[in-house]
């Protein structure tokens, strides 16, 4: 209830869920797929019209969400099976032809739940400089796209908008595609660290810890932007709001309904400057960044070379 | 109300506050002092008897709490004035005679709000090895205590209790005193990053992120243990509980009182594995660790040497 | 001797020294100044003509070198006196009027002696974003220039030339001035970590560890570039070459002169991919970066505000 | 020649090489094995008698050296084949029965070529705390030895001997075996980052950067100590010495032999406080630490469980 008016989520999936299951939303198509063996549930939300975009509060485009409860668990293989699934979705959105790709690791490497993007870039096979020197099939390596990577940092560290930095680098180095990785804020703690959203609509830098910036997307950069996001935090205000909602739903059955307004006012405003995250977030983010970087490394090869078997 | 039964705080000050202002607690003495110029409010809680300890849920001993709203603000001087106040309190608890001191930086350097202890140790002037080679008045340096430092890490990284590591190192290196620095969990977000607690009772490693361990104290180590703590997180369950409390206090005026029990059950249990912290925690912890390490560097000099003017 | 033909140094001072003291070089002016109290020796080499530039192997411009043997020693004040001297030289090269400045921390934060630049940027007071929001005299702060900062990383990490990144960021954010900080390669181990070179000619990214890149200078960026460099490494080939030179100078007195050629060939080529650095480089670089960042923080204030006394 | 008198190497293999190939050393047995497919050359030096120990300048014991030129090259699999070979050698030295093992990551995590040990511990599957709670066959995991890990740091950071820390921790936690990982100093740049030495004699902490400490071995700790070392640096004095040696061998053919003494004096003494290392040491050490930690993870499983296929 309250949620509908003040929902705060980076996941299209959750935006959709804020409406009753059975309600059909104009201009929004939803497909679900269950892989029982791998325990991965994939939901594709396609926002097809501006009207659908308005209702959902998200731009027109495709949002693929992989939910895998085990993702945040330890695994010697860093969940190779999820990396491969991710690679498949990326290839669909990227297309097959050769491309030069700039990987942007958004977020603050000094804040554990926000370090996902920077960590992923650390594990990407960077090839652009090698290819510029030796050509696409460089010594020993399978044929690769030209991959570059950057960790722009956050405004408090640079004094610049992330967008200003990425824009400048894109103009100078002329990649064909940007893939941005970011930590997201989820609506529900249930989703933390077990959900990957892949979208062709780009994202808002720093949205992982909630401060709004200019969009990182095709309109702004002039080239396609694929965004990979994992929710690692929930806004502190949200978890209080949730508890309140439950309470209200109970109180409705009684005669305390006039408390709605009161309740909303009761959420301390300073909670908007705070986030909630699990205590073992350091290990989780470390593992997730391997899973995602491997997905990228596989997707970015031109030929199904040795990489297909990378670490697997 | 609810709080009294499920209070979760590492601050003696907050434990005291969970009782009505005017209630006199047997065996607990409280002194307050206000330094208007420096905007530092110092509260000393002395738990004098086992009875007082039981009521407070904290061991017998002295708990000095410095509250300085500006502490978490940026300052070119890293709040030199607070470092000096801190040094004063430490000297009182340490005594004046020469001592060999082991500084223990508790917490997880990989989790931003828990990295306070490790960061402090990084900035301590380590002298034990130099003194063992050249004697107390070593080349160029003012007369120093023999200072050693260790960052034991957390159990998930070492497989060992912090206490096992510290115990072993203490037995082997025979310091006269342990000073442990730790990030704490506060009861209220109001106190985050603006409060320093200094106590002669030791602390529980990792309490900063809430998982309970064996005590790090004189009974266990056989030498005095001074603990310096700064609250950098609040348990996620706590902020929900607080909102609930407010709500209840309102509902009491109406006829919904039977909801108490219900409300308590409404706090999702998994919130106990999560913490709340400000979004700019990286800068704050970086600054706080300078303030505290400087306080230690000043307090640990034997002679009022150059250090008195260090960075100030 | 050999040196003259294969000299490898980033210091104009050393380039000058490779010629006999008394030789007057056309188009090159040298001034020396000794501050006995602070034990700082300042040499200003001004290359005035293209002819001088050719002889010196360095572009036309001003090269100020501060030599302070104590610089690499521990100091509670992080050598505040050197920071102030540095600030003075910077102000001369910058001019007095208000400016927006982009600080570029060159080098590889993962390689200890090359992490100087990145560390300095970590300690700079970044203000551009605040000023854009609140104006030059923002809450509490003294009047500041608009300062932004970036750590572009090295090509192996990004796949891009440092220059491409800086160029793009400069075009996008339009600063008036770039100040680049870099670790340099010295000719002689004698100079390591005790020399600061300030020049208005810019520098070569990564030159700190010897791999050549495109220049970072006014011709390329279209705005003035001040470079601050500290030699933290010597090329491995250089120290072998030096030993050889000494030997030769001895052999000359005998009849083994025909060994010159032989000797030069004896320097293993793979040494060019290696560097020499002191074992305590981690502590030294940590300290140097404070000294330099404080020099910048002082120089970049518009009014002699509190900063003048920062940490001093 | 000169080398024989001032040799400085942590590799038994190099100690052996400092003698003529064909000379038979009493009490020293050498076996070689070539795996052409994997391009790994394994040399086992067994020092059997005190006499052999004296000649070699190394304690009695087994020294297994794996040389793999590709080891320092990039590989998507982090050289899984080498990890498995390493695991095999470790199992031979460890014995088959269940053991509790303390992994000690020696060296300075702040100095790139010395960070090998700390990095390895970061990637070890730590299980002791889990096993103490759930028993050897814990949820989901294959049967594991009880593994703990520590990064003691270096004396400049702790003020304590590494040995004091490890000794204390061993006494307190009572492991059956210590495995210590350290960066070594090689005699020749040829061997850097492509050689792994495994020995049952322990090692000297910090020897990777040359400063001598007390031994970390069975006599001192009372339990077996297996040491894994990789040469990542060469002492700066060594490479000068080598160049000199070559020169001398040439000069011998002429009449300049009286220069020996002169030459030895020509090596600047301060070079002993410096080391030589490749410019890309950051990437190399990052990769090597994966290769070694995987070798340990495989060797430390009790049953050939999933781990055998870890990342492979």
């Amino acid at each position: 209830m309250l949620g509908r008016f003040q929902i705060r989520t980076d996941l299209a999936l959750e935006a959709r869920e804020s409406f009753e299951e059975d309600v059909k939303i104009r201009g929004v198509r939803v497909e679900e797929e269950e892989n029982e063996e791998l325990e991965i549930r994939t939901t594709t939300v396609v926002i097809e019209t501006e009207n659908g975009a308005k209702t959902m509060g998200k731009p027109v485009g495709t949002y693929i969400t992989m939910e895998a409860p085990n993702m945040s668990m330890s695994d010697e293989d860093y969940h190779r099976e999820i990396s491969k699934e991710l690679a498949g979705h990326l290839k669909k959105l990227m297309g097959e032809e050769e491309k030069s790709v700039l990987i942007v690791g958004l977020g603050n490497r000094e804040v554990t739940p926000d370090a996902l993007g920077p960590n992923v870039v650390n594990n990407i096979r960077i090839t652009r400089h090698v290819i510029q020197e030796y050509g696409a099939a460089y010594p020993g390596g399978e044929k690769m796209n030209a991959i570059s990577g950057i960790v722009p940092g956050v405004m408090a560290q640079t004094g610049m908008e992330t967008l200003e930095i990425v824009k400048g680098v894109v103009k100078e180095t002329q990649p064909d595609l940007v893939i941005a990785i970011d930590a997201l804020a989820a609506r529900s703690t249930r989703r933390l660290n077990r959900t990957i959203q892949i979208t062709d609509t780009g994202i808002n830098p720093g949205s992982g810890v909630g401060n709004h910036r200019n969009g990182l997307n095709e309109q702004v950069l002039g080239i396609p932007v694929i965004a990979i996001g994992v929710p690692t935090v929930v806004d502190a205000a949200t978890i209080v709001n949730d508890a309140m909602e439950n309470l209200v739903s109970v109180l409705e059955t009684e005669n305390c309904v006039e408390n709605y307004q009161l309740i909303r006012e009761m959420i301390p405003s300073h909670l908007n400057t705070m986030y909630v995250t699990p205590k073992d977030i350091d290990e989780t983010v470390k593992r997730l960044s391997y899973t995602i970087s491997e997905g990228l490394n596989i997707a970015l090869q031109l030929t199904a070379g040795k990489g297909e078997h990378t670490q697997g």
Side-chain angles (χ1 to χ4, degrees), chain A:
Chain A
M1 275 293 299
L2 291 176
R4 186 170 309 161
F5 304 107
Q6 44 170 264
I7 188 163
R8 164 84 181 88
T9 177
D10 296 316
L11 294 173
L13 182 60
E14 291 184 327
R16 176 64 185 85
E17 287 171 344
S18 66
F19 301 91
E20 279 62 42
E21 269 291 352
D22 46 9
V23 176
K24 172 98 190 70
I25 305 176
R26 274 263 190 67
V28 178
R29 190 154 44 73
V30 180
E31 286 158 24
E32 296 205 357
E33 192 195 321
E34 192 83 36
N35 182 328
E36 257 117 27
E37 192 210 333
L38 303 183
E39 296 180 71
I40 303 177
R41 188 155 155 282
T42 306
T43 311
T44 306
V45 176
V46 186
I47 303 182
E48 297 170 314
T49 66
E50 278 313 324
N51 170 61
K54 205 175 289 100
T55 329
M56 294 283 286
K58 302 229 165 291
V60 167
T62 301
Y63 302 82
I64 301 163
T65 312
M66 297 168 57
E67 292 176 273
N70 305 332
M71 202 190 304
S72 66
M73 301 292 127
S74 173
D75 174 75
E76 293 158 10
D77 236 349
Y78 296 112
H79 295 289
R80 181 79 184 162
E81 75 286 358
I82 297 174
S83 301
K84 284 177 175 169
E85 283 283 301
L86 171 58
H89 294 306
L90 285 170
K91 279 177 184 159
K92 261 181 286 153
L93 296 181
M94 283 173 59
E96 284 305 328
E97 69 282 3
E98 185 165 350
K99 275 195 187 51
S100 63
V101 183
L102 172 63
I103 314 285
V104 180
L106 299 168
N108 182 348
R109 74 165 24 113
E110 304 296 328
V111 173
T112 316
D114 203 28
L116 181 76
N119 291 358
V120 167
V121 171
N122 277 359
N123 295 312
I124 292 295
R125 239 172 302 130
I126 297 297
T127 60
R128 181 176 177 268
H129 58 305
V130 187
I131 287 170
Q132 286 192 338
E133 208 162 328
Y134 303 103
Y138 63 88
E142 70 282 4
K143 207 149 176 306
M144 288 284 294
N145 287 293
I147 312 302
S148 53
I150 192 163
V151 175
V154 294
M155 207 157 59
Q157 294 163 348
T158 63
M160 302 179 275
E161 296 281 357
T162 306
L163 182 57
E164 292 178 294
I165 297 171
V166 176
K167 225 174 176 175
V169 171
V170 165
K171 280 186 192 161
E172 211 54 44
T173 62
Q174 299 287 332
D176 305 317
L177 170 70
V178 163
I179 300 181
I181 297 92
D182 198 10
L184 305 178
R187 179 83 187 71
S188 142
T189 51
R190 233 181 58 241
R191 284 240 164 63
L192 289 183
N193 305 317
R194 55 191 56 185
T195 309
I196 302 177
Q197 175 175 273
I198 309 121
T199 169
D200 55 8
T201 60
I203 35 172
N204 298 321
S207 64
V209 288
N211 34 1
H212 290 291
R213 310 256 174 93
N214 305 325
L216 202 72
N217 51 47
E218 181 155 13
Q219 299 90 292
V220 176
L221 292 181
I223 54 173
V225 179
I226 295 173
I228 302 174
V230 175
T232 60
V233 299
V234 172
D235 279 4
T238 304
I239 65 170
V240 171
N241 177 75
D242 290 352
M244 294 303 197
E245 275 185 60
N246 302 340
L247 184 54
V248 167
S249 56
V250 172
L251 297 182
E252 281 179 303
T253 66
E254 303 165 25
N255 314 347
C256 306
V257 186
E258 63 282 354
N259 286 313
Y260 285 178
Q261 190 46 43
L262 160 89
I263 287 164
R264 197 180 287 111
E265 284 158 2
M266 229 170 236
I267 301 173
S269 65
H270 69 270
L271 287 184
N272 295 319
T273 68
M274 305 206 167
Y275 65 82
V276 179
T277 199
K279 282 158 183 170
D280 64 351
I281 188 65
D282 57 326
E283 301 161 54
T284 312
V285 162
K286 190 181 170 193
R287 279 193 303 262
L288 283 171
S289 54
Y290 280 116
T291 305
I292 293 174
S293 56
E294 265 313 293
L296 281 159
N297 285 332
I298 297 171
L300 293 170
Q301 287 168 241
L302 284 173
T303 58
K306 195 176 168 218
E308 277 301 347
H309 318 294
T310 299
Q311 306 186 345

